[in-house]
Amino acid sequence: MTLRSMRMDDVDNLLQIFSDPIAMTYYPSTKDRAETIKWIEWTRKNYASYGIGLWVAELKEDGAFVGQCGLVLQEVDGKQEVEIGYSFVRKYWGLGLATECAIACRDYGFGKMGYERLVSLISINNIPSVKVAERVGMTLEKEIIKWNKPVKVYAITKD
């Protein structure tokens, strides 16, 4: 896979995830076109402000959009943390793509960006995302309330 910066013309790509109620099970709701445009604008502001954000994941073979994965700032217990976040088009679930992208983001965060610690914030019943976090080398640190729901904090520190 390749990761690239999100563009304004990625709206239809992202709607493959955001309009799918099953793919969005662990999010507050699905997103419409206007909300997806705001998501892309927020992501692009993160690039400009922090040098990180969610990137579009595409298959190398044919450039097919498969999802998004990247590094985003999150507040956890009053402290800024850098999260590896990911969401993928449902037809690509179970192929190891989220793990591949999350590992690339981990390596970029530790290597290129020089972060000492990375986290993933995962809804308590989201077992597939827990498995991705564990494959990246993260371990469960604690449970918190975030986004008005219980969330598991998985973390890894730079070796």
Side-chain angles (χ1 to χ4, degrees):
M1 273 186 305
T2 58
L3 296 175
R4 65 162 174 81
S5 295
M6 200 174 287
R7 302 182 304 242
M8 293 310 297
D9 65 355
D10 282 312
V11 173
D12 288 333
N13 287 332
L14 288 164
L15 279 169
Q16 293 178 64
I17 302 168
F18 293 162
S19 67
D20 180 347
I22 294 173
M24 297 294 286
T25 297
Y26 300 105
Y27 294 86
S29 66
T30 57
K31 294 184 188 303
D32 63 19
R33 181 168 291 278
E35 292 166 319
T36 302
I37 290 168
K38 286 181 183 173
W39 181 263
I40 294 170
E41 290 170 346
W42 170 77
T43 297
R44 295 185 59 76
K45 284 179 188 170
N46 283 336
Y47 299 157
S49 298
Y50 310 111
I52 58 173
L54 292 165
W55 297 291
V56 167
E58 298 174 325
L59 295 179
K60 281 184 185 176
E61 308 84 65
D62 59 8
F65 173 85
V66 296
Q68 62 176 348
C69 185
L71 301 171
V72 290
L73 291 178
Q74 295 285 359
E75 185 175 315
V76 177
D77 291 340
K79 179 182 172 190
Q80 286 290 319
E81 298 272 16
V82 179
E83 179 190 24
I84 300 175
Y86 38 86
S87 59
F88 283 77
V89 176
R90 193 162 26 119
K91 73 178 182 179
Y92 295 105
W93 289 3
L95 302 176
L97 301 179
T99 299
E100 179 182 337
C101 283
I103 287 170
C105 290
R106 176 201 65 196
D107 294 349
Y108 183 82
F110 287 149
K112 176 79 173 170
M113 299 302 293
Y115 298 126
E116 294 295 320
R117 172 182 158 87
L118 298 167
V119 300
S120 281
L121 306 178
I122 303 171
S123 294
I124 59 169
N125 296 320
N126 190 344
I127 303 306
S129 285
V130 166
K131 289 179 181 178
V132 171
E134 290 172 343
R135 287 185 197 115
V136 169
M138 293 183 165
T139 55
L140 178 62
E141 185 173 88
K142 60 186 169 183
E143 287 187 17
I144 62 169
I145 301 297
K146 184 156 179 79
W147 306 302
N148 299 314
K149 65 180 182 178
V151 172
K152 293 181 179 183
V153 178
Y154 276 76
I156 186 171
T157 54
K158 189 175 181 178
D159 290 330

